[in-house]
Amino acid sequence: MKLPAPPTEKSFPSPLHHPRVATVIGRWLGLAVAICFLTGLFSHLQQDTPGWLTIPSRPASLYRVTQGLHILSGSVAVPLLLAKLWTVYPKLFAKLPWPPSRKALTTILERGSILVLVSALALELFTGFLNTLQWYPWPFPFKQTHYALAWIIVGALLVHLAVKLPLILAHWRRTPADSTPVADSLPPAITGLTRRGLLRTVAGGGALVGITSVGQSVPAFGPVAVLAPRKPNVGPQGLPVNRTAKDAGVTGIGANWRFTITGPRKLSYTLDELRNLEQNRSDLPIACVEGWSQGAHWEGIRIRDLLSLCGAPPGSRVRVVSMEKGGFYATSELPPEFADDPLTLLALRLNGAELALDHGFPARIIAPNRPGVLQTKWVHRLEVIA
Ligand SMILES: Nc1nc2c(c(=O)[nH]1)N[C@H]1C(S)=C(S)[C@@H](COP(=O)(O)O)O[C@H]1N2
Ligand SMILES: [Mo]
């Protein structure tokens, strides 16, 4: 019995696998990946700021916008990646040039970079999505892995773009050859969907994913945010809770509770004494790295006022210490620009009422242009760092 010949690239004659289609979808995917990478890099630098870098505390809602874009571009990249893979999969059946020549080397480099690119990107989008669900079914640390993969993707993408540049340039603009039906001779089953139809379907799929996920940071889209694990306005006091007091092992405060600030002078306040200090109001969002963000009204004491009370010079760096024991978020640092910003508060009240325990009662940090992870809850000590 004679086995049928294995498929080759020529076995997939549909015009939908044409380089022009790959170029158009590749452009959209490239844009989504670029936005996702840059906003992710910003988020990383916020959380791990190198000594030479100063991040400004304004615009106050900048991080809300960048993180919203990060989640949005990452979500939209999923259907775009699938479409791109579908367009180019016949390449899997292309013959490797043999015996090896210069050309073979380019081909191997090209295939290798695509293998790295596709697997890293798929893993990146998958882990990122699970992170919005706060589900970590793997043994490696999410943040570091997500960050390292991002650089692998950028490297592989640059190789891919360099190798494909001639093809991309040749198909960047629509040519007359693109609009003439390539395959008049093909059976209708193969040409059933036109190129324009395919591109519209992909664009529609991307838009649908975008619209149904963006509601986690844009409240107007809340009602249709079926892909959003959390709605921005659902939670105690109209604000979601990422980690409850119970999860953090915080049970509230006893009668002896004191808030302390250690600087040139060491000060200690009861909760009532804190309430009697000058109170200020800030309208600021919590913008969670896990995707949701929501604006709120906060009232409390300006950190810069606390610094001057304890005799610390303006522009001091401040370490924030939570009553939570251990865990990544039990402490944070306010760089000088943030500690000095008049919007940055030791907040005691949220949306017109005392903080709920899950929102950090009795006191928490709220600062402009910062990731939610750094808006430390259940604060009982500030330490001025020289
Ligand atoms: N001590 C402490 N502070 C914390 C956290 C935490 O787990 N422990 N979670 C952070 C995260 S990830 C976010 S998004 C915000 C959420 O604040 P909320 O629960 O009041 O909305 O709190 C931050 N502050
Ligand atoms: Mo968060």
Side-chain angles (χ1 to χ4, degrees), residues 44 120 124 142-154:
H44 175 84
E124 186 78 328
F142 166 77
K143 208 175 84 174
Q144 289 81 344
T145 313
H146 200 66
Y147 184 60
L149 277 173
W151 284 105
I152 295 175
I153 291 165
V154 167

Side-chain angles (χ1 to χ4, degrees), residues 239-243 248 286-290 292 298 322 324 329-330 358-360 364 372-378:
L239 192 72
V241 170
N242 228 41
R243 191 121 166 281
I286 296 254
C288 180
V289 293
E290 273 96 27
W292 60 270
W298 308 89
S322 169
E324 179 182 358
Y329 310 142
D358 282 342
H359 285 308
R364 78 173 300 163
V373 284
L374 301 176
Q375 313 278 29
T376 307
K377 305 196 271 192
W378 313 293

